[in-house]
Amino acid sequence: MKRFCTAFLVGFIICSAPPAPVWAAGGATSGNNELMQRAEQLLSKYKDSEALLLFEQVISQTPDNLQALCKASVLHSRIGDRYADETRKLEHFSKAKEYAMRAYELNPGDAESNYAMAMALAMKAMMAGPRERLEGINQVKSFADAALVSNGEHAGAWHVLGRWYFKMANLNFAEKAASKVFFGGVCGEASNEKAAEAIAKAVAYAPNNIRYYYDLACVYKEMKNAAACISTLQRALTLTLETNEELELSRRCSIMLQEQQRM
C-alpha cells in the first residue's frame, strides 16, 4: 500500500467549425469570450475533454490568451494522468508542458502560469528516466513557490508543493544516488511533515476536492499518524461526489480507513 500511495501522490467533441475571429482592442474577440464562457461551464460540469477542445480553439485564434493556455495545460496534465497507455500519457503531458511554457513566457509572475508549469513538469517527469525525472522534480518546487508568492491561497499549488515534499522525502536508493551525483544531494528541507502541512493547506482552500484528502491521508499513513489519517479519511467520505474518478478515490479512502481502524 505504501508503494501505491507514493505512486499515486507523484500520480467531446465540438463538431461545428470555429467561428472566424473578430479582433477587438487588446487582442480579445467577442467570439473567444463566448468560447471561454462555454468552456468554463463545461469544466463546472466535469466535462474536461469538451472544455479542453474549446480552450484550444481559443488558443488557435488568440495564441497569447493567458487564461486559455493555463487552462489547457492543466487539463492536459489531468486528462493524461488518467490514461494507462504511456503513449497517450506522454502526448497529453507534452502538450501540457508546451502550453504551460507559452503561458509562463507571457507572464512569469502569474500564479496560474507557474502552477501550470509545476504541474506539467511533475507529470512529465514521471515518464522520464531517473536523471530526467529527478531534474523535472527538482524544477517543480520553484514554480510552485512562485505560484504561491502570487496567490498564497492557490490550492493546486499547495497540493503540488506537498507532493514535491513527499517525493523528495521518500526517494528510493537509486534516486538518492542519482540526486547526489547530478544535483548535489536530496533537498534538505523536504520532509513528510512539510508535505502534510502543504497538502493540509490545499484541503483548507479547496475543501471539496477528495484527491487532496486522499493524498493527505497517504502522507499521514507514511508518518504513522493513525489519528490524523483516520480523521482525514472520515472527512473525505462526507463529500458529495460527481465523477467516476472521485468515486474511485472515495472507495480507496474507505479501504484505507478500514485498514487504519483495524490497527
Side-chain angles (χ1 to χ4, degrees), residues 179-207:
S179 178
K180 184 176 181 179
V181 171
F182 299 122
F183 306 106
V186 181
C187 181
E189 65 177 306
S191 67
N192 289 329
E193 289 74 16
K194 288 200 172 185
E197 290 173 6
I199 301 177
K201 288 184 178 181
V203 169
Y205 293 127

Side-chain angles (χ1 to χ4, degrees), residues 93-162:
F93 293 163
S94 296
K95 205 67 179 175
K97 186 176 179 180
E98 175 193 333
Y99 286 142
M101 290 180 68
R102 288 167 60 180
Y104 182 78
E105 288 171 358
L106 286 171
N107 189 346
D110 180 68
E112 289 301 322
S113 66
N114 278 282
Y115 168 60
M117 278 296 297
M119 193 170 180
L121 287 168
M123 291 296 185
K124 196 168 184 184
M126 295 305 102
M127 304 291 295
R131 178 173 180 174
E132 292 80 7
R133 180 165 61 250
L134 280 173
E135 183 177 8
I137 292 171
N138 271 280
Q139 293 174 342
V140 166
K141 187 175 185 295
S142 62
F143 290 105
D145 285 342
L148 291 170
V149 168
S150 178
N151 179 5
E153 298 183 1
H154 197 297
W158 280 115
H159 182 233
V160 170
L161 181 61

Side-chain angles (χ1 to χ4, degrees), residues 9 158-159 161-170 189-202 215-216 219-220 223:
L9 282 168
W158 280 115
H159 182 233
L161 181 61
R163 293 194 303 175
W164 183 89
Y165 280 129
F166 185 83
K167 176 60 181 176
M168 296 303 290
N170 295 279
E189 65 177 306
S191 67
N192 289 329
E193 289 74 16
K194 288 200 172 185
E197 290 173 6
I199 301 177
K201 288 184 178 181
D215 286 0
L216 180 58
V219 176
Y220 284 138
M223 295 168 63

